[in-house]
Amino acid sequence: VGAGVPQSAVARPGLATRMGGGRSGTAAGSSAPTIRETIRCLNREVGPAWVVRGMGPTLVRAFVINAVNFAIFESLKARVVSARALAD
């Protein structure tokens, strides 16, 4: 059970079961599928395309976020270096 789930379970009773935190499994009462069963099902229904589906937008988002983080880091680093140089 993840952080915040106990509080959420009080506010929304079915949340812990849907997130896998409950013991009853799926709504039908059977146990939740394993990772292996899920991968087999995806391969059977979608084929190998499920592995790369959505990777393009994810990579674009990651590139933008990392570029902004790098720019902010370099800007702050330059300010710290110049402030230290003035202090010396």
Side-chain angles (χ1 to χ4, degrees), residues 25-63:
T26 60
S30 63
S31 63
T34 63
I35 292 174
R36 182 177 293 164
E37 291 169 348
T38 303
I39 291 173
R40 284 183 183 159
C41 180
L42 285 168
N43 278 331
R44 184 174 49 251
E45 293 180 9
V46 182
W50 70 269
V51 176
V52 294
R53 180 173 289 163
M55 192 176 290
T58 301
L59 290 175
V60 169
R61 183 185 70 202
F63 176 78

